[in-house]
Amino acid sequence: CNLQPKDAAKMPESAWKLLFYMLSWSYGIYLLFFTDYPFFYDPPSVFYDWKKGMDVPTDIAIAYLLQCSFYGHSIYATAYMDTWRKDSVVMLLHHVVTLTLIAFSYAFRGCQMQGRLCWRKLLGVSCLPRDPCGPVNPPRSLCPGRFWFRLYWFPLKVLYATCHSSLQSVPNIPFYFFFNALLLVLTLMNIYWFLYIVLFVAKVLMGQMQEVNDVREYDVEDSKKT
């Protein structure tokens, strides 16, 4: 594909994430819209008839297994395999928090089906056509789903259900503060990454970027120093 060495090194990482997120997103769509689960349209329903030790349906258990396996691997991959970025420490924390939420959610049935509706944006390193006489062409889209899913639907549907509706359905629900504290940490991370996108757009509009680069990444010299 005539990739630059730096882009070629990032290609396997991006391709793997694209493959996994397409799989997990498709399975999430199936659970939310093609089964009898009412969780999307009625988020508080995740806590209806909740009780300790309740059975987890097989299709939900499969989702737990997929996500738990992925984020367990991602902790190692971010630390030792992926391109190191300015936000890699935050990414590691994100994976640890997410894995903790998934594992404890399954173990205690505390928030059994608090599905996180999230889009992931593949940070393309090879999808942008190169003009031999100029810089990289602007990306065709910035994936507005990132804003919609993480900064609107996640607080509206997930946080509202876990912070408010859970206490109405199960007044003494165990690990209430534990689960919600971790979910709020994830929300702060979403805001943190949103600011990166704002910075990217601002630099493009102000003409400070001649090429479309990931503002999270170190320059080559910075990377060597790091």
Side-chain angles (χ1 to χ4, degrees):
C1 298
N2 296 321
L3 297 176
Q4 298 296 322
K6 184 177 69 171
D7 294 338
K10 292 183 293 184
M11 186 62 187
E13 171 192 349
S14 298
W16 159 243
K17 289 180 179 178
L18 175 62
L19 175 64
F20 174 80
Y21 287 129
M22 286 181 61
L23 173 65
S24 63
W25 181 82
S26 299
Y27 190 63
I29 290 296
Y30 162 74
L31 291 177
L32 288 175
F33 298 107
F34 295 94
T35 64
D36 295 330
Y37 299 125
F39 306 136
F40 181 81
Y41 299 104
D42 185 19
S45 65
V46 300
F47 299 104
Y48 297 165
D49 301 322
W50 178 89
K51 60 181 180 295
K52 293 182 180 179
M54 62 189 303
D55 293 333
V56 178
T58 301
D59 50 4
I60 297 293
I62 291 174
Y64 269 107
L65 178 63
L66 287 173
Q67 295 291 337
C68 193
S69 301
F70 174 76
Y71 283 105
H73 165 265
S74 294
I75 293 174
Y76 173 83
T78 300
Y80 298 107
M81 297 173 62
D82 297 345
T83 301
W84 192 257
R85 299 179 174 91
K86 296 177 183 178
D87 67 336
S88 290
V89 173
V90 180
M91 186 67 73
L92 274 172
L93 177 61
H94 171 274
H95 296 337
V96 171
V97 170
T98 302
L99 184 60
T100 302
L101 272 170
I102 294 171
F104 276 82
S105 173
Y106 185 85
F108 294 102
R109 315 295 199 262
C111 303
Q112 185 196 155
M113 300 168 190
Q114 53 181 355
R116 293 179 56 209
L117 304 172
C118 61
W119 271 91
R120 305 288 185 179
K121 179 170 73 71
L122 174 67
L123 296 172
V125 299
S126 64
C127 299
L128 303 178
R130 291 184 175 274
D131 182 348
C133 300
V136 179
N137 293 331
R140 298 175 183 176
S141 67
L142 195 58
C143 193
R146 185 180 187 91
F147 304 96
W148 186 259
F149 284 87
R150 295 191 179 193
L151 298 179
Y152 179 71
W153 268 351
F154 183 74
L156 179 67
K157 293 184 176 292
V158 177
L159 292 183
Y160 178 79
T162 58
C163 293
H164 176 70
S165 304
S166 60
L167 289 179
Q168 290 186 327
S169 300
V170 188
N172 296 318
I173 189 168
F175 299 99
Y176 171 83
F177 291 102
F178 173 77
F179 281 112
N180 284 292
L182 293 182
L183 289 171
L184 289 173
V185 169
L186 291 181
T187 303
L188 292 177
M189 293 181 187
N190 289 335
I191 296 173
Y192 171 80
W193 280 307
F194 169 74
L195 295 178
Y196 266 116
I197 297 178
V198 172
L199 175 62
F200 168 80
V201 173
K203 285 187 174 183
V204 171
L205 293 178
M206 296 174 65
Q208 296 180 3
M209 293 184 65
Q210 299 301 318
E211 292 189 0
V212 180
N213 295 317
D214 187 350
V215 295
R216 303 174 304 155
E217 293 183 358
Y218 292 105
D219 294 329
V220 174
E221 293 301 320
D222 292 338
S223 180
K224 291 179 180 178
K225 294 177 183 178
T226 303

